[in-house]
Amino acid sequence: MKFAWAKLFVAVITVLVFGILVKLGLWQLNRAEEKRLWQAELSQRQQAAPLSYSRLLAMPKDSSLTGYRLEINATSVDTQLILLDNQVYNGAVGYLAYQVVSVSMSSPKLLVELGFVPGGGDRRILPDVRPLQPPQPLRGKLYQKSANPLSNQLLAEPGNPMRIQNLNLTELAQLINSPLAPAVLQPDEISGSDLPHPWQPIPLSAQKHQGYALQWFSMAAAFLVLMGYLLIIKKKNKLSPH
């Protein structure tokens, strides 16, 4: 009787754990397909002609703008520099630097990424960032960072540069008392600047997700073999004479 209950317990645990591992593998395959479709969409957007600023502003408010190219002429800039905290590039911890630029007097302003700057050992001392020098033509790709469900507030610290914790364009527009375009421009290059632009719209490729799926499926198969082996050993021990 005890062996029968043990066998049932092992079978239940095996089915539950095996099912969870397989579901995780299937979830990774679904993520891989989503990334593949998104990458194809991004490629199409990158190959298309750059948007004009007026066309960007005319797009529906709920549009996904990441990956579109934009070409503007920065006529003037705000002197306020903005540093997005807790960024990592090539193992270094630092900030993504931004500046607000004007394209025309009557249009909303645009947030432009200046690039990554490493932080120092003392967080009280913010790095020096070279601002944009207008007028300057800028050409690059647009992006919208995904909102963090746990923390999406700007959490701005006054000063120049101004350190922020999240790229919340709505709150930033309220803080600077000026409307902003709904996406950020990551320029291909900025005259007089060599700061890197590390942000990528797809941090994990479809191939990475497929690799993770293979790992989950392998773990499921290994677990199934292990539990079957333990069950056989236990059964042999039960039947063997003492």
Side-chain angles (χ1 to χ4, degrees), residues 140-200:
K141 58 177 175 286
L142 295 166
Y143 67 79
Q144 295 168 307
K145 281 203 168 185
S146 301
N148 184 342
L150 299 179
S151 174
N152 192 39
Q153 294 180 319
L154 191 70
L155 300 176
E157 301 174 27
N160 195 9
M162 175 177 65
R163 180 163 50 197
I164 63 174
Q165 298 302 313
N166 295 288
L167 196 60
N168 188 317
L169 294 181
T170 301
E171 290 188 13
L172 181 59
Q174 294 172 351
L175 185 64
I176 66 174
N177 196 29
S178 176
L180 286 171
V184 178
L185 176 63
Q186 185 183 69
D188 296 333
E189 61 177 335
I190 298 175
S191 178
S193 173
D194 58 356
L195 295 179
H197 298 275
W199 188 85
Q200 297 293 331

Side-chain angles (χ1 to χ4, degrees), residues 1 42 48-49 79 84 93 104-105 113 142 150 154 160 168 175 178 204 229 234 238 240:
M1 181 63 70
L42 286 176
T79 57
L84 178 61
V93 179
S104 67
M105 293 294 293
E113 179 192 297
L142 295 166
L150 299 179
L154 191 70
N160 195 9
N168 188 317
L175 185 64
S178 176
L204 285 178
Y229 174 76
K234 190 173 183 65
K238 177 69 175 178
S240 62

Side-chain angles (χ1 to χ4, degrees), residues 83-88 92-96 116 123 145 163-165:
L83 297 177
L84 178 61
D85 202 0
N86 299 315
Q87 304 300 300
V88 179
V93 179
Y95 305 89
L96 271 181
F116 175 84
R123 280 182 56 83
K145 281 203 168 185
R163 180 163 50 197
I164 63 174
Q165 298 302 313

Side-chain angles (χ1 to χ4, degrees), residues 20-90:
I20 291 172
L21 293 174
V22 170
K23 283 185 178 181
L24 288 171
L26 293 174
W27 176 71
Q28 288 291 346
L29 287 180
N30 287 335
R31 291 289 291 158
E33 180 62 15
E34 291 173 3
K35 292 293 181 67
R36 187 189 66 78
L37 295 175
W38 179 221
Q39 184 60 64
E41 178 66 22
L42 286 176
S43 298
Q44 289 181 356
R45 293 180 179 186
Q46 289 292 293
Q47 293 169 7
L51 300 175
S52 65
Y53 198 54
S54 58
R55 185 181 173 192
L56 166 65
L57 297 176
M59 297 185 77
K61 291 184 178 180
D62 58 350
S63 296
S64 171
L65 301 173
T66 296
Y68 283 109
R69 295 192 60 77
L70 177 70
E71 188 173 323
I72 63 162
N73 186 47
T75 57
S76 63
V77 298
D78 290 4
T79 57
Q80 176 72 63
L81 294 171
I82 301 162
L83 297 177
L84 178 61
D85 202 0
N86 299 315
Q87 304 300 300
V88 179
Y89 176 66
N90 285 347

